[in-house]
Amino acid sequence: MRHLLPALIAALFMGALIALDIARPLGAHPWWSQKTLMIGALFGLILAPLAGLKLRPLPLTITFAIITALAFAIAKYGQTQFAASYAEDQFAGKLWYVGWIATGATLTATLTAAFTALAKTRRPNKPG
């Protein structure tokens, strides 16, 4: 139950980003900009609590933030290489697509871990 509220807040935040289609101006393809974040958000909501079993919330947040930056860099690299090849480089297109899914997953996991860390600092005497 203690992981439910941070995950719900992260899901609502990601839902707002998806509704605003924030990925499109950041470089996602217009046809699948929302879909990739939706797929990624589902993976991120599963990934964060599982990783939280092994790591504390603050190191987990930092780790996920770094991985989010790497996933975004992979997506941007795929985008630029795909565009430079005039849509011929299929591997670059896959990097672009999967990079955005990974960005959505790790951003959701980062938010969940950050909200978990905030909840633990707000109530340190609570068990669990």
Side-chain angles (χ1 to χ4, degrees):
M1 185 71 178
R2 64 188 163 133
H3 294 292
L4 186 60
L5 186 60
L8 180 63
I9 294 169
L12 290 173
F13 190 81
M14 286 302 293
L17 292 179
I18 292 166
L20 294 172
D21 200 11
I22 199 72
R24 185 181 297 191
L26 291 175
H29 194 281
W31 288 347
W32 40 258
S33 60
Q34 292 177 318
K35 182 174 82 170
T36 55
L37 288 184
M38 278 192 270
I39 293 168
L42 291 175
F43 283 119
L45 288 173
I46 296 168
L47 180 65
L50 289 177
L53 295 174
K54 293 289 182 186
L55 292 173
R56 298 177 63 96
L58 187 59
L60 187 63
T61 303
I62 294 167
T63 302
F64 277 136
I66 292 169
I67 296 171
T68 301
L70 290 173
F72 182 72
I74 289 170
K76 289 304 278 184
Y77 175 78
Q79 175 192 10
T80 57
Q81 294 304 310
F82 188 74
S85 71
Y86 295 101
E88 292 290 326
D89 189 352
Q90 291 182 2
F91 182 69
K94 289 177 184 178
L95 283 178
W96 188 15
Y97 182 74
V98 174
W100 272 105
I101 292 174
T103 300
T106 55
L107 180 60
T108 305
T110 301
L111 292 171
T112 303
F115 292 134
T116 301
L118 285 174
K120 287 193 179 215
T121 59
R122 303 281 295 168
R123 292 186 265 163
N125 295 333
K126 289 275 186 177

